[in-house]
Amino acid sequence: MSATPQVRESAAGLYRISDAEPWPYRGQVAAVGIGHSPTLRRWDGDPETCIGAWTIRAIREAIADAGVAPGEVDLIVLDRKTTGGGSPWPAGTPVPPEIAARFHTTDDPLDGVAQLSPEWLLRNMPELTGVELVIVSSMCMSMVLAAAIEAVGRGLGTTCVAVKAWHNFPGRYGVRGANSEPTVTGPGKYGTAVAGANSFNTAAQFRRYLHKYGKTRDMMAPFVVNSRANGLLMPEGYWAQHDPKPITVEQYLNAKPIAEPANLLDNDIPIHAAAAYVLTTAHRAADLRQQPVYVLGHAGAGRVSGDRYDGLAPRSTVETLEETEEFAAATARRVYRSAGVTARELSFENCYDGFSFLHPFHIEGFGYAGIGRGEALDLYQTDISIAGPHPVSPSGGNIGGGRTRWWAHTDSIQQIQRRAGARQISVPANVGLSGGFMPYWSNFVVWSSTPDGP
């Protein structure tokens, strides 16, 4: 590498969280390559499957898929953290010496194992000779991708790799680190820490939702069953690779309770995997291997203070259903304004579903298929399959593929490129929506088969 790339430690200024104006770079940025590692339930200790190794694999596959030379990549957007907080490296446990023997390490032995620094990545990908800027994003692929899209639009790079990885170590997820202590300290003691499962708050909101709109929990069954079915058609996903069995309505309704009314199948499964996308200018995309998928706009929810980008704060310690609904609706208005489209012009949606109950909040906010508040479960009773008129979560989402928060983006790009395989929806896939994660902190992208949109 000819020079040391600049590392920008915050992407906070790249998120569109309050500006309701049309995106100035509409149709000028395109996705052209996708790369995935295989999936594991938990890391097996092999250096070749550590999160750093699988990140490298995903990036190389995305670059090859796009048909660009590695040296042409001039911008990388990544998240240093590779855990959602539920799977820290076990305290006092040494990193296997095979890692240092296999990779070029940094001063931190956890690099490439339980985190991912720009320095580690570039040391171990010497073919990336043209990288001039690395932007550090946060939280999930939706945030990484939104920052990458905006950066390319602003001219901070012309060939960008957006990459995110999630590790999962042996042990019970979420019952490690501070959560394993007999008492809870810090802000966590006011809210979810006293409730148990991560899905508790969303489950409480959904219980209120059922009461408010006169719905029943079993009306969620078609969504969860459909999501697993779609996920089994995504070869990159966990269930497709490790347990390719559909689930039935009866299995869903009788699954182990987790946080009433949520059961085991309403919660995504933590996995060990990495994914990457190549984004470039619309002009450059015209000459590459894959059909370009153009970005019409992006926007989300959150708050920026200096270099910090955080979620919206609820009025009290626990976010209410009504706050969630308003966050989702405000985000939808911002996204549609950004992209210059309406709900009627969406061919499909891939909204976040890490807990299944989040999906109704998102699609009601977006008014997908003409629905309003309290009507998502009614939509689920119709044909929401990939063969139906209003495909719901054709990616299968986290429920159908495992906890990664990127299946939505991969599927949306593949649907528009007409290379979703057995998942290809029956209606023309011209405009799609993908994003997540929670209504209080999210980023969504509107994708199109043409730079001018519908």
Side-chain angles (χ1 to χ4, degrees):
M1 189 169 296
S2 57
T4 302
Q6 176 190 358
V7 176
R8 183 179 296 184
E9 289 290 349
S10 171
L14 298 173
Y15 299 113
R16 294 172 56 81
I17 55 175
S18 59
D19 183 2
E21 294 304 310
W23 190 43
Y25 312 112
R26 187 178 192 264
Q28 298 177 31
V29 178
V32 292
I34 302 170
H36 284 271
S37 75
T39 65
L40 286 177
R41 179 71 173 91
R42 298 177 177 87
W43 184 41
D44 57 11
D46 186 339
E48 298 304 324
T49 61
C50 73
I51 205 62
W54 275 13
T55 298
I56 292 170
R57 180 168 175 172
I59 292 174
R60 286 175 174 162
E61 288 194 4
I63 290 171
D65 187 53
V68 301
E72 293 180 271
V73 174
D74 56 3
L75 171 64
I76 296 175
V77 181
L78 56 74
D79 179 11
R80 286 179 177 270
K81 295 181 180 179
T82 56
T83 178
S87 185
W89 182 255
T93 303
V95 174
E98 293 83 0
I99 296 294
R102 170 64 178 80
F103 299 102
H104 297 287
T105 59
T106 66
D107 293 338
D108 192 329
L110 291 178
D111 244 349
V113 177
Q115 63 191 44
L116 190 67
S117 73
E119 181 184 11
W120 188 94
L121 186 63
L122 293 172
R123 282 187 182 186
N124 289 281
M125 295 194 71
E127 69 268 35
L128 298 180
T129 57
V131 176
E132 298 179 359
L133 174 64
V134 180
I135 299 174
V136 178
S137 180
S138 60
M139 189 55 65
C140 66
M141 181 59 88
S142 292
M143 296 183 185
V144 170
L145 197 52
I149 287 168
E150 184 68 21
V152 174
R154 294 186 188 182
L156 301 181
T158 57
T159 306
C160 174
V161 167
V163 63
K164 171 65 185 177
W166 295 97
H167 71 249
N168 192 27
F169 300 132
R172 187 179 174 191
Y173 191 91
V175 191
R176 285 171 271 189
N179 287 348
S180 66
E181 298 298 322
T183 60
V184 178
T185 61
K189 64 185 178 182
Y190 304 108
T192 57
V194 300
N198 291 350
S199 58
F200 175 82
N201 276 3
T202 302
Q205 292 164 3
F206 192 68
R207 180 191 283 276
R208 164 69 177 155
Y209 176 98
L210 296 178
H211 173 77
K212 182 176 182 178
Y213 297 113
K215 308 300 179 184
T216 59
R217 179 186 167 277
D218 60 3
M219 295 177 74
M220 279 297 297
F223 170 77
V224 175
V225 171
N226 182 68
S227 294
R228 178 65 67 86
N230 291 345
L232 293 179
L233 300 177
M234 176 169 272
E236 300 91 344
Y238 174 81
W239 295 109
Q241 291 180 15
H242 298 282
D243 191 10
K245 301 186 192 73
I247 58 175
T248 65
V249 170
E250 290 73 22
Q251 286 174 315
Y252 169 69
L253 295 177
N254 294 315
K256 177 183 177 181
I258 298 296
E260 183 65 28
N263 66 29
L264 185 66
L265 296 177
D266 290 307
N267 292 256
D268 56 7
I269 185 171
I271 63 173
H272 182 86
Y277 304 96
V278 175
L279 300 148
T280 188
T281 63
H283 176 75
R284 177 78 176 94
D287 298 325
L288 297 178
R289 177 172 296 153
Q290 304 297 344
Q291 173 190 338
V293 179
Y294 300 94
V295 177
L296 297 184
H298 72 92
R303 50 184 174 156
V304 171
S305 177
D307 288 339
R308 288 189 59 85
Y309 171 47
D310 299 305
L312 297 170
R315 180 184 60 83
S316 188
T317 56
V318 177
E319 184 179 313
T320 66
L321 168 65
E322 286 72 23
E323 287 174 313
T324 293
E325 290 178 319
E326 185 47 44
F327 291 159
T331 296
R333 291 191 296 269
R334 194 173 298 127
V335 171
Y336 286 142
R337 177 65 170 158
S338 171
V341 301
T342 66
R344 293 189 301 273
E345 291 164 321
L346 294 179
S347 307
F348 61 91
E349 64 76 32
N350 271 306
C351 291
Y352 182 64
D353 67 338
F355 308 133
S356 70
F357 301 155
L358 288 166
H359 191 266
F361 303 152
H362 283 307
I363 64 168
E364 288 179 5
F366 279 103
Y368 180 68
I371 65 173
R373 291 188 183 180
E375 296 179 345
L377 274 63
D378 298 319
L379 177 65
Y380 296 162
Q381 310 315 304
T382 69
D383 186 358
I384 60 173
S385 73
I386 55 176
H390 302 294
V392 166
S393 194
S395 66
N398 275 19
I399 295 296
R403 181 179 297 172
T404 66
R405 303 178 186 166
W406 59 58
W407 309 119
H409 302 302
T410 293
D411 179 76
S412 294
I413 296 167
Q414 291 177 340
Q415 290 288 351
I416 292 174
Q417 290 174 327
R418 311 299 196 267
R419 58 175 184 149
R423 292 189 328 280
Q424 192 67 48
I425 61 177
S426 61
V427 298
N430 296 323
V431 179
L433 170 75
S434 60
F437 66 122
M438 309 285 272
Y440 75 91
W441 200 10
S442 64
N443 285 275
F444 287 83
V445 181
V446 177
W447 307 94
S448 173
S449 58
T450 66
D452 297 326

